Amino acid sequence: MALDKIGIAKRIAQEVQDGMYINLGIGIPTLVANYIPDALDVVLQSENGLLGIGQFPTEDEVDADLINAGKQTITMRDGSVLFDSSESFAMIRGGHVDLTILGAMEVSENGDISNWKIPGKMVKGMGGAMDLVASAKNIIVAMQHTSRDGESKLLKECSLPITGLQCVKKIVTNLAVLEVQDSGGFKLLERAPGVSVDEIKEATAGKLIVEGDVPEMKID
């Protein structure tokens, strides 16, 4: 069966390595903070001026003044710091973020990403997405494999306004883990439990590369 949002977040948490500085986008990526193994020493950064984000608060821990870029209340780890957004973006643009995890509306088979605007719909702006995808050392996308009407979101070319070009390295969806190849195409690395390769092929409009037996994801 396909993964839910928590399953996607748990699988992405397996990509986190000790010592990383990580930016989590709004939506599914924020859930990753709850599933990073305690043994790993990582620092979570939010572009509104936070370094050292902890897990989401319990009801008695909520502080309305402590929010992430998605306006969700958060906790802070020992040693965390607060600063203005200009300093936060200096960190991002300076290449000091090791990993960015963010959502997407579309990803192309050469790693282009569209995640900030749907033409005709009002948006407040692109936020920090363009800076993040242009500057991070590694980018993982967390997304649903298809839209609500069943159309693939993994495409030959993006149809929506582009956020960044040839920047996405890996994608974790409700159906699969895929790696964007330098020569183009989505290499299928893992399947969601109970999901077949044929189902993933059917849901992928871009070039899908399947080599040998594709294992199922292991989600604890």
Side-chain angles (χ1 to χ4, degrees):
M1 59 185 293
L3 300 179
D4 59 12
K5 292 180 180 180
I6 291 175
I8 295 173
K10 285 182 175 180
R11 176 58 188 83
I12 291 177
Q14 297 175 18
E15 300 292 319
V16 173
Q17 298 177 18
D18 194 52
M20 278 185 164
Y21 284 78
I22 304 170
N23 182 284
L24 301 177
I26 62 174
I28 297 174
T30 59
L31 299 174
V32 175
N34 288 338
Y35 303 106
I36 296 173
D38 292 336
L40 298 183
D41 182 16
V42 301
V43 180
L44 301 181
Q45 192 256 16
S46 183
E47 61 261 34
N48 60 323
L50 293 155
L51 194 64
I53 299 170
Q55 296 185 351
F56 284 122
T58 59
E59 190 172 338
D60 60 338
E61 292 177 321
V62 170
D63 181 342
D65 289 327
L66 293 179
I67 60 171
N68 62 20
K71 300 181 177 63
Q72 297 167 305
T73 53
I74 51 90
T75 59
M76 297 179 68
R77 298 174 59 192
D78 290 344
S80 299
V81 290
L82 303 173
F83 37 85
D84 62 43
S85 60
S86 62
E87 190 165 356
S88 179
F89 276 93
M91 291 180 190
I92 293 167
R93 293 168 183 162
H96 303 294
V97 174
D98 298 303
L99 173 63
T100 289
I101 304 168
L102 73 173
M105 299 167 189
E106 296 177 345
V107 177
S108 79
E109 62 186 39
N110 67 345
D112 300 343
I113 181 173
S114 297
N115 80 335
W116 76 277
K117 183 178 181 180
I118 297 176
K121 291 193 175 183
M122 182 68 72
V123 293
K124 296 179 180 179
M126 75 286 295
M130 289 185 179
D131 293 279
L132 286 163
V133 299
S135 305
K137 298 170 186 175
N138 188 16
I139 296 170
I140 298 176
V141 167
M143 65 188 293
Q144 299 296 318
H145 210 100
T146 59
S147 63
R148 292 179 181 176
D149 58 5
E151 295 297 318
S152 179
K153 297 168 71 172
L154 300 176
L155 308 170
K156 182 175 179 59
E157 296 180 350
C158 292
S159 62
L160 296 173
I162 296 292
T163 308
L165 296 171
Q166 297 180 301
C167 55
V168 176
K169 306 299 183 186
K170 189 171 285 185
I171 306 156
V172 180
T173 76
N174 56 318
L175 301 182
V177 179
L178 307 108
E179 184 177 66
V180 177
Q181 302 297 284
D182 291 340
S183 57
F186 303 107
K187 183 177 180 180
L188 182 58
L189 301 181
E190 299 175 19
R191 301 174 286 114
V195 174
S196 69
V197 171
D198 286 340
E199 288 176 291
I200 297 167
K201 286 180 178 177
E202 182 67 23
T204 307
K207 178 182 178 183
L208 184 67
I209 302 168
V210 181
E211 297 179 353
D213 294 330
V214 180
E216 286 192 350
M217 299 181 205
K218 290 181 170 57
I219 306 294
D220 296 328

